[in-house]
Amino acid sequence: MKTVLISIKPKYAEQILNGVKSHELRAGSVFSRGDRIIMYASNPVRAVVGEFTAGFVMTGSYEEVVAYLKTVGYKGLSSEDFEYIRGKRTRVSAIEVVDPIRYPEPISLATLKRVGLERPPRSYMVLNPSIKLHAKLIELFNKALTTRSQGL
């Protein structure tokens, strides 16, 4: 299981956190079932707002991913989502959203910078716990979950 920090438009992060969007579409093929997907909502929010667990991940050509989504249904996906991955790379992924969690307190870009993250990833960043900065980020995200469970 990997921890992956993704940049996402605020409206899509909200759709995921509200259970409206069933899949997140991404160029590339680094995602696997069980991965922890941390969502950094881009401008104007500029904060980590929550996370979800990757369910089934379909990786293939654009056409293969679209065919898969037609068979399972693609709740909350729009033509803009499909345009995002069309022609990006030879491999794209549809990541099933499982157990989305909204952080009670978003983690601001200023806080991320204080920890040492110069700027959020353009698309995604796989966090390696053996890298000091990545370990600090994972600790920050874990603390957000701890705060959530204590607040219940």
Side-chain angles (χ1 to χ4, degrees):
M1 178 183 90
K2 297 181 295 299
T3 300
V4 184
L5 175 61
I6 66 170
S7 289
I8 187 169
K9 289 182 179 181
K11 70 177 182 178
Y12 298 131
E14 280 301 311
Q15 289 174 351
I16 287 171
L17 293 170
N18 292 329
V20 172
K21 192 173 179 187
S22 63
H23 291 79
E24 174 61 13
L25 305 183
R26 290 282 154 159
S29 58
V30 302
F31 305 96
S32 303
R33 182 189 293 266
D35 285 351
R36 180 182 185 190
I37 311 295
I38 310 294
M39 295 183 293
Y40 171 83
S42 59
N43 200 28
V45 174
R46 297 190 291 182
V48 173
V49 295
E51 64 181 74
F52 66 91
T53 301
F56 180 78
V57 178
M58 171 58 184
T59 300
S61 68
Y62 172 82
E63 292 78 13
E64 291 169 330
V65 168
V66 170
Y68 159 75
L69 288 168
K70 285 181 180 175
T71 64
V72 299
Y74 44 90
K75 183 175 83 167
L77 294 178
S78 69
S79 60
E80 190 176 346
D81 290 290
F82 290 100
E83 283 304 311
Y84 175 73
I85 62 167
R86 185 190 311 272
K88 284 271 185 164
R89 294 187 180 164
T90 55
R91 314 270 303 154
V92 296
S93 297
I95 308 158
E96 180 186 22
V97 173
V98 176
D99 299 328
I101 299 169
R102 180 185 305 275
Y103 292 169
E105 295 294 325
I107 302 168
S108 70
L109 180 56
T111 299
L112 295 172
K113 285 184 176 185
R114 277 195 298 278
V115 170
L117 185 67
E118 293 289 323
R119 59 185 169 149
R122 216 175 183 163
S123 181
Y124 60 85
M125 171 193 303
V126 178
L127 300 179
N128 180 343
S130 66
I131 297 172
K132 189 174 182 178
L133 169 61
H134 294 188
K136 286 181 182 179
L137 290 169
I138 292 168
E139 184 180 329
L140 188 63
F141 305 143
N142 289 343
K143 186 177 177 184
L145 287 177
T146 303
T147 303
R148 177 184 177 268
S149 63
Q150 289 175 351
L152 293 178

